[in-house]
């Protein structure tokens, strides 16, 4: 905020792509939201892992907690989670995560129709492809300018689970591609 950011992206303790990081608990998220809103900034929370059927009630419960403390949007990868959250929390803004692997305007528009106001495009796209998507699609578009560039396509990593038993799609990536 002091550096001029208009939004802060954070991960919570549940369903985030960095399961082994020191993520924010709900009380810390609530404090961050209050501080950010005091300065007219936004807080976006990642909920960007794949979700299993047995976890859907927990995802919805967690989304309700995040909504209650006032987060400005959730960044989501799982289509089922988008559907259930949209149904039960229609006022909560959703952003399609880069882990959704949206590579084209049709994919961006589909995420929009599911309820995503913004879509973070797959990291593998060239500037030319990004321009082509943004010229045609309905949602706001966001792109990564830096960060991990996985060997596998965004949101479809199997490398970490194959060589180390830690699924990148479940927030447990060991980042073997960096080695």
């Amino acid at each position: 905020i002091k550096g001029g950011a208009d939004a802060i992206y954070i991960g919570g303790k549940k369903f985030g792509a960095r399961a082994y990081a020191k993520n924010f608990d709900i009380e810390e998220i609530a404090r961050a939201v209050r501080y950010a809103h005091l300065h007219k900034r936004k807080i976006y929370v990642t909920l960007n892992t794949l979700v299993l059927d047995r976890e859907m009630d927990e995802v919805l419960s967690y989304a309700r907690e995040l909504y209650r403390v006032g987060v400005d949007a959730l960044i989501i990868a799982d289509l089922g989670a988008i559907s259930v959250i949209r149904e039960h929390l229609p006022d909560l803004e959703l952003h399609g995560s880069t882990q959704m692997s949206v590579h084209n305007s049709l994919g961006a528009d589909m995420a929009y129709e599911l309820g995503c106001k913004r879509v973070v495009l797959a990291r593998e796209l060239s500037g030319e492809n990004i321009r082509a998507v943004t010229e045609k699609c309905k949602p706001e578009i966001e792109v990564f300018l830096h960060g991990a560039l996985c060997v596998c396509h965004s949101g479809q990593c199997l490398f970490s689970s194959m060589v180390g038993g830690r699924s990148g799609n479940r927030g447990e990536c060991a980042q073997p591609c960096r080695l």
Side-chain angles (χ1 to χ4, degrees):
I1 290 174
K2 290 179 182 177
D6 60 0
I8 298 91
Y9 295 67
I10 62 175
K13 297 281 187 189
K14 301 176 184 178
F15 302 106
R18 290 182 174 83
Y20 298 115
K22 184 188 179 315
N23 296 310
F24 290 71
D25 64 28
I26 199 70
E27 291 81 20
E28 291 168 323
I29 292 172
R31 284 196 308 272
V33 167
R34 286 192 301 272
Y35 182 76
H37 288 177
L38 181 66
H39 295 281
K40 298 183 178 16
R41 304 302 199 274
K42 295 185 176 187
I43 296 285
Y44 302 141
V45 177
T46 59
L47 202 145
N48 56 349
T49 59
L50 301 181
V51 179
L52 303 174
D53 277 336
R54 68 176 183 264
E55 298 169 318
M56 207 54 74
D57 288 340
E58 185 180 358
V59 162
L60 180 57
S61 175
Y62 185 51
R64 281 184 172 127
E65 286 184 88
L66 294 169
Y67 180 70
R68 179 183 53 78
V69 300
V71 300
D72 296 286
L74 299 181
I75 304 166
I76 304 184
D78 187 270
L79 297 177
I82 289 170
S83 178
V84 77
I85 292 168
R86 177 57 49 236
E87 178 184 348
H88 293 277
L89 298 167
D91 296 330
L92 179 55
E93 188 171 309
L94 303 179
H95 297 177
S97 172
T98 190
Q99 280 84 10
M100 286 180 73
S101 298
V102 173
H103 289 83
N104 54 56
S105 59
L106 294 173
D109 284 345
M110 179 162 282
Y112 182 79
E113 295 303 321
L114 289 172
C116 295
K117 178 182 177 185
R118 177 181 298 173
V119 174
V120 185
L121 295 177
R123 292 171 278 186
E124 297 79 29
L125 294 180
S126 67
E128 179 183 341
N129 289 334
I130 292 167
R131 276 188 296 284
V133 172
T134 58
E135 289 172 359
K136 297 178 185 176
C137 71
K138 296 174 188 170
E140 296 174 3
I141 295 296
E142 183 174 321
V143 296
F144 272 85
L145 293 179
H146 63 82
L149 287 176
C150 306
V151 174
C152 301
H153 281 278
S154 295
Q156 300 177 22
C157 180
L158 297 175
F159 190 37
S160 181
S161 63
M162 296 302 290
V163 300
R166 288 175 46 180
S167 173
N169 300 319
R170 301 277 297 160
E172 300 172 343
C173 184
Q175 301 180 332
C177 54
R178 292 186 179 184
L179 301 176

